[in-house]
């Protein structure tokens, strides 16, 4: 299966309109949050409407710039995996939205405990070998969470969760400058960067004859 991996659109639909070929190739779209431009909550719904028109298989969470109540919009359209576990085509999808408390000026800032609480449902799952997680705030001390070149600002709780459960892949966003691919154990980590800056990613996974899923391709792309 091929996934188009997006994050941090921030109300700017310009690049969405340039991705028609990628939407056509993708089996599904993974969006790791921040529909909204900062302090402009009215920009979220047009982005969501565009995504829904571009592809009929979406898996989404909220970002720290999104209003918490916007989750209802995702749920009404059946595209949310935040605090939920969704099964499709042999894969499982779950997610945790928002970002760790930092500035206090974005509407969906949370504690470490709140980030992980969205993933409690996964503890009931026997195996995470087929699980793809969407977590807006990246795991701590990886290529996905650095600012100013060497300062790590990721979530330690998210990192511990990944190390314990070892999902197939984790998609994050939030830290625009840390677009990267990394690993924690068997888990492949992807921060595609901000689509508001023209950045996005591709993830391909495959199931073998033993019914085991593996990541066979990751790619970071830029439209500029």
């Amino acid at each position: 299966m091929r996934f188009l991996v997006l994050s941090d659109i921030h109300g700017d639909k310009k690049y969405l309109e340039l991705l028609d070929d990628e939407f056509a190739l993708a089996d599904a779209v993974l969006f790791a949050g921040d529909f909204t431009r900062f302090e402009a909550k009215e920009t979220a719904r047009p982005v969501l409407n565009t995504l829904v028109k571009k592809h009929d298989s979406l898996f989404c969470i909220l970002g720290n710039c999104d209003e918490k109540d916007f989750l209802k919009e995702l749920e009404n359209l059946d595209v949310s995996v935040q605090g939920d576990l969704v099964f499709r085509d042999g894969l499982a999808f779950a997610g945790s939205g928002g970002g760790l408390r930092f500035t206090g000026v974005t509407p969906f800032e949370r504690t470490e405990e709140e980030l992980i609480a969205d993933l409690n449902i996964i503890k009931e799952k026997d195996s995470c070998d087929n699980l793809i997680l969407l977590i807006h705030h990246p795991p701590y001390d990886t290529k996905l969470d650095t600012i100013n070149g060497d300062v790590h600002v990721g979530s330690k709780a998210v990192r511990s969760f990944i190390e314990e459960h070892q999902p197939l892949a984790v998609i994050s966003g939030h830290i625009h400058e840390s677009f990267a691919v990394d690993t924690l154990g068997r888990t492949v980590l992807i921060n595609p960067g901000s689509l508001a800056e023209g950045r996005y990613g591709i993830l391909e996974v495959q199931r073998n004859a033993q019914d085991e899923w593996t990541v066979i391709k990751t790619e970071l792309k830029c439209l500029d």
Side-chain angles (χ1 to χ4, degrees):
M1 293 186 68
R2 179 184 175 98
F3 298 97
L4 175 59
V5 182
L6 307 175
S7 191
D8 296 85
I9 295 176
H10 290 293
D12 189 345
K13 301 187 296 177
K14 174 180 65 176
Y15 289 112
L16 282 177
E17 301 299 341
L18 300 177
L19 287 175
D20 283 347
D21 289 346
E22 296 286 14
F23 279 109
L25 290 170
D27 295 296
V29 178
L30 309 176
F31 181 64
D34 276 350
F35 295 85
T36 313
R37 187 168 68 245
F38 180 60
E39 293 187 334
K41 64 181 182 179
E42 69 277 5
T43 61
R45 184 67 202 218
V47 169
L48 177 57
N49 289 345
T50 301
L51 283 169
V52 170
K53 291 177 182 177
K54 293 292 184 182
H55 208 286
D56 60 4
S57 185
L58 299 174
F59 301 91
C60 304
I61 58 171
L62 300 181
N64 63 297
C65 288
D66 299 317
E67 297 285 340
K68 288 182 281 187
D69 288 346
F70 194 63
L71 181 61
K72 296 177 183 177
E73 304 277 357
L74 305 187
E75 292 172 342
N76 288 341
L77 291 172
D78 197 26
V79 299
S80 173
V81 295
Q82 185 168 311
D84 202 356
L85 185 59
V86 177
F87 296 90
R88 191 172 301 176
D89 298 324
L91 290 167
F93 301 85
S96 175
L100 284 179
R101 290 176 182 167
F102 180 58
T103 63
V105 299
T106 55
F108 197 20
E109 296 187 9
R110 314 176 78 189
T111 65
E112 292 270 17
E113 292 76 18
E114 287 170 330
L115 287 181
I116 294 303
D118 274 353
L119 305 178
N120 283 341
I121 192 171
I122 295 169
K123 295 178 181 179
E124 302 172 8
K125 196 173 184 296
D126 293 335
S127 171
C128 290
D129 292 350
N130 66 336
L131 176 65
I132 296 177
L133 288 182
L134 280 67
I135 305 179
H136 185 66
H137 202 108
Y140 178 75
D141 195 16
T142 63
K143 295 177 182 177
L144 282 61
D145 79 319
T146 57
I147 59 173
N148 301 324
D150 59 359
V151 179
H152 291 281
V153 294
S155 165
K156 293 181 179 179
V158 167
R159 181 187 176 104
S160 295
F161 186 93
I162 294 168
E163 289 176 328
E164 178 181 354
H165 295 279
Q166 292 287 278
L168 178 64
V170 175
I171 311 301
S172 69
H174 192 42
I175 311 301
H176 295 193
E177 59 267 43
S178 283
F179 48 90
V181 175
D182 204 351
T183 57
L184 279 176
R186 71 177 294 274
T187 301
V188 175
L189 313 173
I190 305 172
N191 178 348
S194 171
L195 188 62
E197 300 169 1
R199 296 191 178 277
Y200 66 101
I202 301 296
L203 169 68
E204 293 187 17
V205 301
Q206 180 175 276
R207 182 165 52 183
N208 63 22
Q210 289 74 44
D211 206 31
E212 299 168 333
W213 287 94
T214 56
V215 173
I216 60 172
K217 180 179 181 181
T218 57
E219 188 174 0
L220 301 178
K221 295 190 174 186
C222 187
L223 289 165
D224 288 336

